[in-house]
Amino acid sequence: MIAPGTRADAGSMEKIDRSGRAVRRLGGWASFLLACLWPAIGAAAPLSTQLLNEGWQFRLAPGEAAAATRAKVTRWRAASVPGTVQTDLLAAQLVDDPFYRDNEAQIQWVGLADWQYRTSFTVDAATLSREHVELVFDGLDTYADVYLNGSKLLAADNMFRRWSVPVKSLLHAGGNTLEVRLYSPIKRLQPWLLKQPYALPGEFDSAFGDEPKGKQTANYVRKANYQYGWDWGPRIVTEGIWRDVHLDSWDALRVADFHIEQTQVSAESAHVNAKVDVEVDTSQPLQASMDVVGPDGQVAGHIEREVTVDPGSRQISLPVRFAEPRLWYPVGYGAQDMYTFKLRLRDADGTVYVAERATGLRSVELRRQNDRWGKSFAFVINGIPVFAKGANVIPFDMFPSRDDELRMHDVLASARDANMNMLRVWGGGYYMPDRFYELADRFGILIWQDFMFGGAIPPNDSAFVENARQEAIEQVTRLRNHPSIVLWCGNNEVQTGWESWADRAVFKQSISADDRERIVIGMVNLFGNVLRDVVTRYDAEVPYWASTPSTDYDGPANVLTDGDYHYWDVWSGAAKPVTEYLNVTPRFQSEYGLQSFPVMRTVRAFAAPDDLAVETPVMRAHQKYDGGNGNKRLLLYIEREYGTPRDFPSFVYLSQVMQADGIGLAAEHLRASRPQAMGSLYWQINDVWPGASWSSIDYFGRWKALQFHARRFYAPLLIAALRQDGATTVSLVSDRPASAGVHWRVRVMDFAGKVSSDHQRVVTMPPLSSTQVASFTDQQLLHGADPMHSVAVFELVEGDQVVSRQLVFFDHAKSLPLPTPVIHTQLQPSVDGYALTLSSDVLARDVWVSFGDVDTELSENAFDLLPGESVTVTVRTKATRDELLHALQVQDLAGVMHGEIAK
């Protein structure tokens, strides 16, 4: 059993004071509490915040065995807060970059040692004169004891919680010393775990021998699971002060939370209830007033109330109704309109508190209805059934404190630009910073939010469950005003793992029936009751889902007819061919994926020239699937369709082509299956480090071929031509809420562009629909044309614009006599940078444009060039035209397969 961390103000654990945080983010996008702290307003001064992120030092804790060989780390050195021990060691050049080559092994000792951090800060007389002074750690990773002026304040044991404690009696006028002692979670838990009759099944065993096989400590601590190693990322078990530290002070009144509850929202009217949680020392009358300012800047509603608040924690409710609200919609369905709620509290002496809260008004339903396919699983926003198009998002870095706002912005903007409308925040990482959700609100990206349980079987002791409950309260309360969040999900793969994974089956046979029952009861209690109750109490307008995949405990997990589904028979397990995607139609596919390598520029950032081969130690170290054997699986999938790559750069190029084509096939099938299927979230959009993975955007933010393809297969209007067993089914898919007049056509041509048949039809596409419009056998399509030298080109045309295109071939690429094209290029200045026009006299498949080490942003890539057709790509860059021309590289599938050396 884990000893829970102590907290001096345990009685107020459910209150989250973010006023101080809001002061520091006053310039932010206003999706969370903005506390305007006015000096000298009346007699009561507002809450003040003193940031304590400066002047920190760190060292290896005295008595650590590592001191014998690493004397340099025993001396106090400059540290960064927020940060981790590992990033501070990197900054001090005391460890090598763990992302380079196979250096990951050399940093393992850091997470097995204990560390100390300290700083000094000054407190003025004005702060000490306040009635309340509280020390707040927004994030401690993870086991930590905190001392102020030599007195122990708290023992933390949860990375995902906020730790605060009253400190007025311990502060000195002038200088004060703050110390944080960090403890290795592995070293702390392992001796206890090895004495237990069994270890609960976890995730990935350590590759470095620091934990015995099957004896994983990660299950037992509330810490980001992925840091213990995953099949797409390294093992770097961090320790540190990973969020801000601050000193908050106030007098008789503090506003602990300001929440906009959306009790009823429709196009006709909005009923909202502003809930203001206050903490007061003495009974006092207050005047509470609030203006509701619409997206147009006009006041849409107003309320004033006279209230008397008694000592303790109290809540003031300010209900308001206004007609014909402008609703917040996911991207593609309407505007992301936001309302600003301006709150003011006054006492007898004047204004004591002002704040603003911005949020979007929307209704959310997870529609679960019996139908001819089983039971539906569909998100309905403002009454509109939304087909979820998107991906899973993992942490942005192995070191959470290195969350970069620009990186988050670029990934979410890339999701929007690829026509995605949903991202799932996966449960093996950490809850994202406020800025992530602000951007999702702004871009109209729906967020499926997992609680942070990555798949391991959790303990069920009361201390662990209560710790998780408090974590959930704090996170739900922090995030509940974001209109983008449309689902709270209890965990990732805990239920399906218990029911169907081989290692769980072995484990269940090794323990008694009573132990099995206790474990199941514990899981159901935590995910079916405890977390559900938190969401119901604190964010009732957003649905809760017990696990992914699951049926919300209506029955077994991961079934095709009910709930959401993770499909991994393609790639994992039996390694079925990608065409198997066409045989699987769940109600909502929340995980599926294929691997690829990042572009060569990214590979060269972590590898030396001698490392550039598929099975070198370094390339295996950056391939985490199957203990480094994943490149064999990747090669298997490449060879099935494209043959054996001739060199390592060809392997990299073909891995991206394979991934993009395979995921595109699955996504188009799912969209064509609407409404039987109502979601496609592929695994995964981003990376935590540079290496082989399932991502569509690499660690450095560079789009892979899949991200460019996603923009096409997630387009609002889609023609899905799916060939299987010698027949092609054609479906027209529309995500638009209004009908669309279009025409679709199919041309069959040879690889030189000679058209043998051309058919088209004018249709009206119904809104929010998929309509099968044709089915052809190969013979019907070809009309006698040679299948080995022909391609069927399916296009959807709106007005004079081709809005969707799909090419159908009649054999594997490796079997086709694809011509090697000569691709002509012209590069000219344009308003947005440069215009690169490409053309070819013969078919050019999977054209990839790159510029070596020159930084560029391309409007299009990974496309097919039809004979005689030109495609113009916008190139945004700071480079000159001559630099671009010198660096320009153009690859295509035939050239790579036939032996052109890709650079």
Coordinates of all heavy atoms in Angstrom, one line a residue, residues 525-600:
N525 N -15.1 0.0 -9.3 CA -15.4 1.1 -8.3 C -14.7 2.4 -8.8 O -15.3 3.4 -8.8 CB -14.9 0.7 -6.9 CG -15.1 1.8 -5.9 OD1 -16.3 2.3 -5.8 ND2 -14.1 2.2 -5.3
L526 N -13.4 2.3 -9.1 CA -12.7 3.5 -9.5 C -13.2 4.1 -10.8 O -13.5 5.3 -10.8 CB -11.2 3.1 -9.6 CG -10.3 4.3 -10.1 CD1 -10.3 5.4 -9.1 CD2 -8.8 3.8 -10.2
F527 N -13.4 3.3 -11.8 CA -13.7 3.8 -13.1 C -15.2 3.9 -13.4 O -15.7 4.7 -14.2 CB -13.0 3.0 -14.2 CG -11.5 3.0 -14.1 CD1 -10.9 1.8 -13.9 CD2 -10.8 4.1 -14.1 CE1 -9.5 1.7 -13.8 CE2 -9.4 4.1 -13.9 CZ -8.8 2.9 -13.8
G528 N -16.0 3.0 -12.7 CA -17.4 3.0 -12.9 C -18.1 3.9 -11.9 O -19.3 4.4 -12.2
N529 N -17.5 4.2 -10.7 CA -18.2 4.9 -9.7 C -17.5 6.2 -9.3 O -18.0 7.3 -9.4 CB -18.4 4.1 -8.5 CG -19.3 2.8 -8.8 OD1 -20.2 2.9 -9.5 ND2 -18.9 1.7 -8.2
V530 N -16.2 6.1 -8.8 CA -15.5 7.2 -8.2 C -15.3 8.3 -9.2 O -15.7 9.5 -9.0 CB -14.2 6.7 -7.6 CG1 -13.4 8.0 -7.2 CG2 -14.4 5.8 -6.5
L531 N -14.7 8.0 -10.4 CA -14.5 9.1 -11.4 C -15.8 9.5 -12.0 O -15.9 10.7 -12.3 CB -13.5 8.6 -12.4 CG -12.1 8.2 -11.9 CD1 -11.2 7.8 -13.0 CD2 -11.4 9.3 -11.1
R532 N -16.7 8.6 -12.2 CA -18.0 9.1 -12.8 C -18.7 10.0 -11.8 O -19.2 11.1 -12.3 CB -18.9 7.8 -13.0 CG -20.2 8.1 -13.7 CD -21.1 6.9 -13.8 NE -20.5 5.7 -14.3 CZ -20.4 5.4 -15.5 NH1 -20.8 6.2 -16.5 NH2 -19.8 4.3 -15.9
D533 N -18.6 9.8 -10.5 CA -19.2 10.7 -9.5 C -18.6 12.0 -9.6 O -19.3 13.1 -9.4 CB -19.2 10.1 -8.1 CG -20.1 8.8 -8.0 OD1 -20.9 8.6 -8.9 OD2 -19.9 8.1 -7.0
V534 N -17.3 12.1 -9.7 CA -16.6 13.4 -9.8 C -17.1 14.2 -11.0 O -17.4 15.4 -10.9 CB -15.1 13.2 -9.9 CG1 -14.4 14.5 -10.3 CG2 -14.5 12.7 -8.6
V535 N -17.2 13.6 -12.2 CA -17.7 14.3 -13.4 C -19.1 14.7 -13.2 O -19.5 15.8 -13.5 CB -17.5 13.4 -14.6 CG1 -18.1 14.1 -15.8 CG2 -16.0 13.1 -14.9
T536 N -19.9 13.8 -12.6 CA -21.4 14.1 -12.4 C -21.5 15.3 -11.5 O -22.4 16.2 -11.7 CB -22.1 12.9 -11.8 OG1 -22.0 11.8 -12.8 CG2 -23.6 13.2 -11.6
R537 N -20.7 15.4 -10.5 CA -20.8 16.5 -9.5 C -20.2 17.8 -10.0 O -20.8 18.9 -9.8 CB -20.1 16.1 -8.2 CG -20.1 17.2 -7.2 CD -19.5 16.7 -5.9 NE -19.5 17.8 -4.9 CZ -18.9 17.8 -3.7 NH1 -18.3 16.6 -3.3 NH2 -18.9 18.8 -2.9
Y538 N -19.1 17.7 -10.7 CA -18.4 19.0 -11.1 C -18.5 19.4 -12.5 O -18.2 20.5 -12.9 CB -16.9 18.8 -10.7 CG -16.7 18.7 -9.2 CD1 -16.6 17.4 -8.6 CD2 -16.6 19.8 -8.4 CE1 -16.4 17.3 -7.2 CE2 -16.4 19.7 -7.1 CZ -16.3 18.4 -6.5 OH -16.1 18.3 -5.1
D539 N -19.0 18.5 -13.4 CA -19.1 18.9 -14.8 C -20.2 18.1 -15.5 O -20.0 17.4 -16.5 CB -17.7 18.7 -15.6 CG -17.7 19.4 -16.9 OD1 -18.5 20.3 -17.1 OD2 -16.8 19.0 -17.7
A540 N -21.4 18.2 -14.9 CA -22.5 17.3 -15.3 C -22.9 17.4 -16.8 O -23.5 16.5 -17.3 CB -23.6 17.5 -14.4
E541 N -22.6 18.5 -17.4 CA -23.0 18.7 -18.8 C -22.2 17.9 -19.8 O -22.5 17.8 -21.0 CB -23.0 20.2 -19.1 CG -21.6 20.8 -19.2 CD -21.5 22.3 -18.8 OE1 -22.2 22.7 -17.8 OE2 -20.9 23.0 -19.5
V542 N -21.0 17.4 -19.3 CA -20.2 16.6 -20.2 C -20.3 15.1 -19.9 O -20.2 14.7 -18.7 CB -18.7 17.1 -20.1 CG1 -17.8 16.2 -20.9 CG2 -18.6 18.5 -20.5
P543 N -20.5 14.2 -20.9 CA -20.6 12.8 -20.6 C -19.4 12.2 -20.0 O -18.2 12.7 -20.2 CB -20.9 12.2 -22.0 CG -21.3 13.4 -22.9 CD -20.6 14.6 -22.3
Y544 N -19.6 11.1 -19.3 CA -18.5 10.3 -18.8 C -18.5 8.9 -19.4 O -19.6 8.3 -19.6 CB -18.6 10.2 -17.2 CG -17.5 9.3 -16.7 CD1 -16.2 9.7 -16.4 CD2 -17.8 7.9 -16.4 CE1 -15.2 8.9 -15.9 CE2 -16.8 7.1 -15.8 CZ -15.6 7.6 -15.6 OH -14.6 6.7 -15.1
W545 N -17.3 8.4 -19.7 CA -17.2 7.0 -20.3 C -16.1 6.3 -19.5 O -15.0 6.8 -19.3 CB -16.8 7.2 -21.8 CG -16.8 6.0 -22.6 CD1 -15.8 5.3 -23.2 CD2 -18.0 5.3 -23.0 NE1 -16.2 4.3 -23.9 CE2 -17.6 4.2 -23.9 CE3 -19.4 5.5 -22.8 CZ2 -18.5 3.3 -24.4 CZ3 -20.3 4.6 -23.4 CH2 -19.8 3.5 -24.2
A546 N -16.5 5.1 -19.1 CA -15.6 4.4 -18.0 C -14.2 4.0 -18.5 O -13.3 4.1 -17.8 CB -16.4 3.2 -17.5
S547 N -14.1 3.6 -19.8 CA -12.8 3.2 -20.3 C -12.8 3.2 -21.8 O -13.9 3.2 -22.4 CB -12.6 1.7 -19.8 OG -11.3 1.3 -20.3
T548 N -11.7 3.3 -22.4 CA -11.6 3.2 -23.9 C -10.6 2.1 -24.2 O -9.5 2.0 -23.7 CB -11.2 4.5 -24.5 OG1 -11.1 4.3 -25.9 CG2 -9.9 5.0 -24.0
P549 N -11.0 1.1 -25.0 CA -12.4 0.9 -25.5 C -13.3 0.3 -24.5 O -12.8 -0.5 -23.6 CB -12.2 -0.1 -26.7 CG -11.0 -0.9 -26.2 CD -10.1 0.0 -25.4
S550 N -14.6 0.5 -24.6 CA -15.5 -0.1 -23.7 C -17.0 0.0 -24.1 O -17.2 0.7 -25.1 CB -15.4 0.4 -22.2 OG -16.1 1.7 -22.1
T551 N -17.8 -0.5 -23.3 CA -19.3 -0.3 -23.5 C -19.8 0.4 -22.3 O -21.0 0.4 -22.0 CB -20.0 -1.6 -23.7 OG1 -19.8 -2.5 -22.6 CG2 -19.6 -2.3 -25.0
D552 N -18.9 1.1 -21.5 CA -19.3 1.8 -20.3 C -19.8 0.8 -19.3 O -20.8 1.1 -18.6 CB -20.3 2.9 -20.5 CG -20.3 3.9 -19.4 OD1 -19.2 4.1 -18.8 OD2 -21.3 4.5 -19.2
Y553 N -19.2 -0.4 -19.2 CA -19.6 -1.5 -18.3 C -21.0 -2.0 -18.6 O -21.6 -2.6 -17.7 CB -19.5 -1.0 -16.8 CG -18.0 -1.0 -16.4 CD1 -17.5 0.2 -15.8 CD2 -17.2 -2.1 -16.4 CE1 -16.2 0.3 -15.4 CE2 -15.9 -2.0 -16.0 CZ -15.4 -0.8 -15.5 OH -14.0 -0.8 -15.1
D554 N -21.5 -1.8 -19.8 CA -22.7 -2.5 -20.2 C -22.4 -3.9 -20.6 O -23.4 -4.7 -20.8 CB -23.3 -1.8 -21.4 CG -24.1 -0.5 -20.9 OD1 -24.3 -0.3 -19.7 OD2 -24.5 0.2 -21.8
G555 N -21.2 -4.3 -20.8 CA -20.8 -5.6 -21.2 C -19.3 -5.7 -21.5 O -18.6 -4.8 -21.0
P556 N -18.8 -6.7 -22.2 CA -17.4 -6.7 -22.5 C -16.9 -5.5 -23.3 O -17.7 -4.9 -24.0 CB -17.3 -8.0 -23.4 CG -18.5 -8.8 -23.1 CD -19.6 -7.8 -22.8
A557 N -15.6 -5.2 -23.2 CA -15.0 -4.1 -23.9 C -14.6 -4.5 -25.3 O -14.4 -5.7 -25.6 CB -13.8 -3.6 -23.1
N558 N -14.4 -3.5 -26.1 CA -13.9 -3.7 -27.5 C -14.7 -4.7 -28.3 O -14.2 -5.7 -28.9 CB -12.4 -4.2 -27.4 CG -11.6 -3.6 -28.5 OD1 -11.8 -2.4 -28.9 ND2 -10.6 -4.3 -29.0
V559 N -15.9 -4.3 -28.5 CA -16.8 -5.1 -29.4 C -17.3 -4.2 -30.5 O -17.3 -3.0 -30.4 CB -18.0 -5.7 -28.6 CG1 -17.6 -6.6 -27.5 CG2 -18.9 -4.5 -28.0
L560 N -17.6 -4.8 -31.6 CA -17.9 -4.0 -32.8 C -19.3 -3.4 -32.8 O -19.5 -2.4 -33.4 CB -17.8 -4.9 -34.1 CG -16.4 -5.4 -34.5 CD1 -16.5 -6.4 -35.6 CD2 -15.6 -4.2 -34.9
T561 N -20.2 -3.9 -32.0 CA -21.6 -3.5 -32.1 C -22.0 -2.5 -31.0 O -23.1 -2.0 -31.0 CB -22.5 -4.7 -31.9 OG1 -22.2 -5.4 -30.7 CG2 -22.3 -5.7 -33.0
D562 N -21.0 -2.1 -30.1 CA -21.4 -1.3 -29.0 C -20.2 -0.6 -28.5 O -19.1 -1.2 -28.3 CB -22.0 -2.1 -27.9 CG -22.7 -1.3 -26.8 OD1 -22.7 0.0 -26.9 OD2 -23.2 -1.9 -25.8
G563 N -20.3 0.7 -28.2 CA -19.2 1.5 -27.6 C -18.1 1.8 -28.6 O -18.3 1.7 -29.8
D564 N -16.9 2.1 -28.1 CA -15.8 2.4 -29.0 C -14.9 1.2 -29.1 O -14.9 0.3 -28.3 CB -15.1 3.7 -28.5 CG -14.3 3.5 -27.2 OD1 -14.9 2.9 -26.2 OD2 -13.1 3.9 -27.1
Y565 N -13.9 1.3 -30.0 CA -13.2 0.1 -30.4 C -11.7 0.5 -30.8 O -11.5 1.6 -31.4 CB -13.8 -0.4 -31.7 CG -13.4 -1.8 -32.1 CD1 -13.9 -2.9 -31.4 CD2 -12.5 -2.0 -33.2 CE1 -13.5 -4.2 -31.8 CE2 -12.2 -3.3 -33.6 CZ -12.7 -4.4 -32.8 OH -12.3 -5.7 -33.2
H566 N -10.8 -0.3 -30.3 CA -9.4 -0.2 -30.6 C -9.1 -1.4 -31.5 O -9.2 -2.5 -31.1 CB -8.5 -0.2 -29.4 CG -8.6 1.0 -28.5 ND1 -7.8 1.2 -27.5 CD2 -9.5 2.0 -28.5 CE1 -8.1 2.3 -26.9 NE2 -9.1 2.9 -27.5
Y567 N -8.6 -1.1 -32.7 CA -8.3 -2.2 -33.7 C -6.8 -2.2 -34.0 O -6.3 -1.3 -34.6 CB -9.1 -1.9 -35.0 CG -8.9 -3.1 -36.0 CD1 -9.3 -4.4 -35.6 CD2 -8.3 -2.9 -37.2 CE1 -9.1 -5.5 -36.5 CE2 -8.2 -4.0 -38.1 CZ -8.6 -5.2 -37.7 OH -8.4 -6.3 -38.6
W568 N -6.2 -3.3 -33.6 CA -4.7 -3.5 -33.7 C -4.4 -4.8 -34.4 O -3.2 -5.2 -34.3 CB -4.0 -3.3 -32.4 CG -4.0 -1.9 -31.9 CD1 -4.7 -1.3 -31.0 CD2 -3.2 -0.9 -32.5 NE1 -4.4 0.0 -30.9 CE2 -3.5 0.3 -31.8 CE3 -2.2 -0.9 -33.5 CZ2 -2.9 1.5 -32.1 CZ3 -1.6 0.3 -33.8 CH2 -1.9 1.5 -33.1
D569 N -5.3 -5.5 -35.0 CA -5.0 -6.8 -35.7 C -4.2 -6.4 -36.9 O -3.4 -7.3 -37.4 CB -6.2 -7.5 -36.1 CG -6.8 -8.3 -34.9 OD1 -6.2 -8.3 -33.8 OD2 -8.0 -8.8 -35.0
V570 N -4.4 -5.2 -37.5 CA -3.4 -4.7 -38.5 C -2.3 -4.0 -37.7 O -2.6 -3.2 -36.8 CB -4.1 -3.7 -39.4 CG1 -3.1 -3.1 -40.4 CG2 -5.2 -4.4 -40.2
W571 N -1.1 -4.4 -38.0 CA 0.2 -4.0 -37.3 C 0.5 -4.9 -36.2 O 1.5 -5.6 -36.3 CB 0.2 -2.6 -36.9 CG 1.6 -2.3 -36.2 CD1 1.9 -2.4 -34.9 CD2 2.8 -2.0 -36.9 NE1 3.3 -2.1 -34.7 CE2 3.8 -1.9 -36.0 CE3 3.1 -1.8 -38.3 CZ2 5.1 -1.6 -36.3 CZ3 4.4 -1.4 -38.6 CH2 5.4 -1.4 -37.7
S572 N -0.2 -4.9 -35.1 CA 0.1 -5.8 -34.0 C -0.4 -7.2 -34.1 O -1.1 -7.5 -35.2 CB -0.4 -5.2 -32.7 OG 0.2 -3.9 -32.4
G573 N -0.2 -8.0 -33.2 CA -0.8 -9.4 -33.2 C -0.4 -10.2 -34.4 O 0.7 -10.4 -34.7
A574 N -1.5 -10.5 -35.2 CA -1.2 -11.4 -36.4 C -0.7 -10.6 -37.5 O -0.4 -11.2 -38.6 CB -2.6 -12.0 -36.7
A575 N -0.5 -9.3 -37.4 CA 0.0 -8.5 -38.5 C -0.8 -8.6 -39.8 O -0.2 -8.9 -40.9 CB 1.5 -8.7 -38.7
K576 N -2.1 -8.5 -39.7 CA -2.9 -8.7 -40.9 C -2.7 -7.6 -41.9 O -2.2 -6.5 -41.5 CB -4.4 -8.7 -40.4 CG -4.8 -9.9 -39.6 CD -6.3 -9.9 -39.2 CE -6.7 -11.1 -38.4 NZ -8.1 -11.1 -38.1
P577 N -2.9 -7.9 -43.2 CA -2.7 -6.8 -44.2 C -3.7 -5.7 -44.0 O -4.7 -5.8 -43.4 CB -3.0 -7.6 -45.5 CG -3.8 -8.7 -45.1 CD -3.4 -9.1 -43.7
V578 N -3.3 -4.5 -44.6 CA -4.1 -3.3 -44.4 C -5.5 -3.5 -44.9 O -6.4 -2.8 -44.5 CB -3.4 -2.1 -45.0 CG1 -2.1 -1.8 -44.2 CG2 -3.1 -2.3 -46.4
T579 N -5.7 -4.3 -45.9 CA -7.0 -4.5 -46.5 C -8.0 -5.1 -45.4 O -9.2 -5.0 -45.6 CB -7.0 -5.5 -47.7 OG1 -6.3 -6.7 -47.3 CG2 -6.3 -4.8 -48.8
E580 N -7.5 -5.6 -44.3 CA -8.4 -6.1 -43.3 C -9.2 -4.9 -42.6 O -10.2 -5.1 -42.0 CB -7.6 -6.8 -42.2 CG -7.3 -8.2 -42.6 CD -8.5 -9.1 -42.8 OE1 -9.4 -9.1 -41.9 OE2 -8.5 -9.8 -43.8
Y581 N -8.7 -3.7 -42.8 CA -9.4 -2.5 -42.3 C -10.8 -2.5 -42.9 O -11.8 -2.0 -42.2 CB -8.7 -1.2 -42.6 CG -7.5 -0.9 -41.7 CD1 -6.3 -0.5 -42.3 CD2 -7.6 -0.9 -40.3 CE1 -5.2 -0.1 -41.5 CE2 -6.5 -0.6 -39.5 CZ -5.3 -0.2 -40.1 OH -4.3 0.2 -39.3
L582 N -11.0 -3.0 -44.1 CA -12.3 -3.0 -44.8 C -13.3 -4.0 -44.2 O -14.5 -3.9 -44.5 CB -12.1 -3.2 -46.3 CG -11.2 -2.2 -47.0 CD1 -11.0 -2.7 -48.5 CD2 -11.8 -0.8 -46.9
N583 N -12.8 -4.9 -43.4 CA -13.6 -5.9 -42.8 C -14.1 -5.6 -41.4 O -14.7 -6.5 -40.8 CB -12.9 -7.3 -42.9 CG -12.6 -7.7 -44.3 OD1 -13.4 -7.5 -45.2 ND2 -11.4 -8.4 -44.5
V584 N -13.7 -4.5 -40.9 CA -14.0 -4.1 -39.5 C -14.7 -2.8 -39.5 O -14.2 -1.8 -39.9 CB -12.7 -4.0 -38.7 CG1 -13.0 -3.6 -37.3 CG2 -12.0 -5.4 -38.7
T585 N -16.0 -2.8 -39.0 CA -16.8 -1.6 -38.9 C -17.4 -1.5 -37.5 O -18.5 -2.0 -37.2 CB -17.9 -1.7 -39.9 OG1 -17.4 -2.0 -41.2 CG2 -18.6 -0.3 -40.0
P586 N -16.6 -0.8 -36.6 CA -17.1 -0.6 -35.3 C -18.1 0.6 -35.2 O -18.2 1.3 -36.2 CB -15.9 -0.4 -34.5 CG -15.0 0.3 -35.5 CD -15.3 -0.3 -36.8
R587 N -18.6 0.9 -34.1 CA -19.4 2.1 -33.9 C -18.6 3.4 -33.8 O -19.1 4.4 -34.2 CB -20.3 2.0 -32.7 CG -21.1 0.7 -32.6 CD -21.8 0.2 -33.9 NE -22.6 1.3 -34.5 CZ -23.9 1.5 -34.4 NH1 -24.6 0.6 -33.6 NH2 -24.5 2.4 -35.0
F588 N -17.4 3.2 -33.3 CA -16.5 4.4 -33.2 C -15.1 3.8 -33.0 O -14.8 3.1 -32.0 CB -16.9 5.2 -32.0 CG -16.2 6.6 -31.9 CD1 -16.9 7.7 -32.2 CD2 -14.8 6.7 -31.6 CE1 -16.3 9.0 -32.1 CE2 -14.2 7.9 -31.5 CZ -14.9 9.1 -31.7
Q589 N -14.2 4.1 -34.0 CA -12.8 3.5 -33.9 C -11.9 4.6 -33.3 O -11.5 5.5 -33.9 CB -12.3 3.1 -35.3 CG -11.1 2.2 -35.2 CD -11.1 1.2 -36.4 OE1 -12.0 0.3 -36.5 NE2 -10.1 1.3 -37.2
S590 N -11.6 4.4 -32.0 CA -10.8 5.4 -31.3 C -9.3 5.1 -31.3 O -8.6 5.9 -30.8 CB -11.4 5.5 -29.8 OG -11.5 4.2 -29.3
E591 N -8.9 4.0 -31.8 CA -7.5 3.7 -32.0 C -7.3 2.7 -33.2 O -8.0 1.7 -33.2 CB -6.8 3.1 -30.7 CG -6.4 4.0 -29.7 CD -5.4 3.4 -28.7 OE1 -4.8 2.4 -29.0 OE2 -5.4 3.9 -27.5
Y592 N -6.3 3.0 -34.0 CA -5.8 2.1 -35.0 C -4.6 2.8 -35.6 O -4.5 4.1 -35.5 CB -6.8 1.8 -36.1 CG -7.3 3.0 -36.9 CD1 -6.7 3.2 -38.2 CD2 -8.2 3.9 -36.5 CE1 -7.2 4.3 -39.0 CE2 -8.7 4.9 -37.2 CZ -8.1 5.1 -38.5 OH -8.5 6.2 -39.3
G593 N -3.6 2.1 -36.1 CA -2.4 2.8 -36.6 C -1.4 1.9 -37.3 O -1.4 0.7 -37.2
L594 N -0.5 2.6 -38.0 CA 0.6 2.0 -38.7 C 1.8 2.9 -38.5 O 1.7 4.1 -38.4 CB 0.3 1.8 -40.2 CG -0.7 0.8 -40.6 CD1 -1.1 1.1 -42.1 CD2 -0.2 -0.6 -40.5
Q595 N 3.0 2.2 -38.4 CA 4.2 3.0 -38.1 C 4.8 3.6 -39.4 O 4.5 3.1 -40.5 CB 5.2 2.1 -37.4 CG 5.2 2.1 -35.9 CD 6.5 1.6 -35.3 OE1 7.5 1.4 -36.1 NE2 6.6 1.5 -34.0
S596 N 5.7 4.5 -39.1 CA 6.6 5.0 -40.2 C 7.8 5.7 -39.5 O 7.8 5.9 -38.3 CB 5.9 6.0 -41.1 OG 5.7 7.2 -40.4
F597 N 8.8 5.9 -40.3 CA 9.9 6.7 -39.8 C 9.7 8.2 -40.1 O 9.0 8.5 -41.1 CB 11.3 6.2 -40.4 CG 12.0 5.3 -39.5 CD1 11.7 4.0 -39.3 CD2 13.2 5.7 -38.8 CE1 12.4 3.1 -38.5 CE2 13.9 4.9 -38.0 CZ 13.5 3.6 -37.8
P598 N 10.3 9.1 -39.4 CA 10.3 10.5 -39.8 C 11.2 10.7 -41.0 O 12.0 9.9 -41.4 CB 10.8 11.2 -38.5 CG 11.7 10.2 -37.9 CD 11.1 8.9 -38.1
V599 N 11.1 11.9 -41.5 CA 11.9 12.2 -42.7 C 13.4 12.2 -42.3 O 13.8 12.2 -41.2 CB 11.6 13.6 -43.2 CG1 10.1 13.7 -43.8 CG2 11.8 14.7 -42.2
M600 N 14.2 12.1 -43.4 CA 15.7 11.9 -43.2 C 16.3 13.0 -42.4 O 17.2 12.8 -41.6 CB 16.4 11.7 -44.5 CG 16.1 10.4 -45.2 SD 16.7 8.9 -44.1 CE 18.4 9.3 -44.0

